[in-house]
Amino acid sequence: MSTAGLDRRSRRRQQTIDEILDVSIALMETEGVAALSLSAVARQLGMQPPSLYQYFPSKLAIYDALFRRGAEGFRDAQRVATVDAAPEDQLELAITAFSRWCMANQVLSQLLFWRTVPGFEPSAEAFAPAVDAIDDLKLCLQQEVDGGRLHQDATSDEGIALFTAITAGVLSQQLANEPQAAFETGRFTQLMPIVIEMFYQRYRGKKR
């Protein structure tokens, strides 16, 4: 989170919050996403565990802040990738940017997409950037419909569900089997263009 426009005290507080989240991610990388420990976070930061409650009232609150960070991250990655692109290129650029982000942020990807923390549900505020990302996806699909490359049904609830299921499935396989591979060389991520073409075949437009 940017600290621009905050007073000194608020900046220091936000910096501490960011440090807590960074340490949490590092611990989750080594211990597992669901195994996050407040005492371990405090120990890494050189503070007493009760001091964490000044910033987060519970472990679930840390997960919530991390969920929001992750959702903002992949949403913004997609937007940067498509901002100056031609409409017919935006869908592939968006899913490529999303895939690259997931591979570079595997801990957050697990928290966002694979329900690895029992009992955790993101707050509406934390989930809002993910809703934005789905709206962006719908816009990309609608542009393909308007261009005659996809049928209108591609923007239906079924179409959105199918697109997210098949692309997330590719990423799930990649992260489960070859987490260290590059996007370009991953055994499963190399299949992403084929998967997208399958989606186009399912919702073929007049110009395809």
Side-chain angles (χ1 to χ4, degrees):
M1 178 177 178
S2 173
T3 59
L6 300 178
D7 59 38
R8 181 179 298 179
R9 182 176 182 180
S10 297
R11 281 200 302 271
R12 286 166 59 184
R13 177 177 175 80
Q14 186 58 51
Q15 288 168 356
T16 301
I17 288 173
D18 290 339
E19 289 176 4
I20 292 170
L21 297 180
D22 290 341
V23 167
S24 297
I25 290 173
L27 289 170
M28 290 156 68
E29 286 176 343
T30 57
E31 304 297 330
V33 174
L36 183 64
S37 163
L38 291 181
S39 60
V41 173
R43 187 164 55 250
Q44 289 287 325
L45 291 168
M47 64 171 63
Q48 294 298 315
S51 298
L52 283 179
Y53 293 108
Q54 299 177 36
Y55 304 96
F56 294 100
S58 67
K59 183 167 64 175
L60 290 181
I62 293 180
Y63 283 128
D64 197 62
L66 288 172
F67 189 101
R68 179 176 179 177
R69 176 189 277 195
E72 289 175 342
F74 82 78
R75 178 201 64 190
D76 293 348
Q78 292 179 159
R79 288 180 173 179
V80 168
T82 59
V83 64
D84 294 320
E88 62 269 21
D89 296 329
Q90 289 187 10
L91 185 62
E92 185 170 355
L93 288 171
I95 194 59
T96 299
F98 171 73
S99 301
R100 290 183 184 278
W101 184 91
C102 288
M103 295 184 71
N105 298 273
Q106 295 185 26
V107 165
L108 292 178
S109 296
Q110 291 179 49
L111 179 65
L112 285 160
F113 307 118
W114 285 281
R115 288 187 174 269
T116 47
V117 181
F120 170 67
E121 290 285 345
S123 65
E125 182 180 22
F127 196 72
V131 175
D132 292 341
I134 289 295
D135 289 341
D136 292 346
L137 171 60
K138 291 178 180 177
L139 179 59
C140 285
L141 291 173
Q142 186 60 54
Q143 289 177 154
E144 292 297 272
V145 171
D146 295 342
R149 293 175 292 277
L150 283 175
H151 187 275
Q152 184 65 51
D153 288 350
T155 63
S156 66
D157 289 344
E158 178 200 84
I160 298 296
L162 179 59
F163 187 86
T164 55
I166 60 178
T167 52
V170 168
L171 282 168
S172 179
Q173 286 286 78
Q174 184 62 55
L175 295 180
N177 292 280
E178 294 180 342
Q180 305 306 321
F183 174 79
E184 293 82 2
T185 59
R187 182 155 56 103
F188 296 96
T189 48
Q190 287 186 88
L191 301 176
M192 192 67 79
I194 298 173
V195 167
I196 294 175
E197 182 59 29
M198 290 169 61
F199 180 83
Y200 274 94
Q201 291 295 330
R202 174 68 177 85
Y203 297 104
R204 180 187 294 272
K206 294 180 179 179
K207 292 185 179 181
R208 236 183 133 73

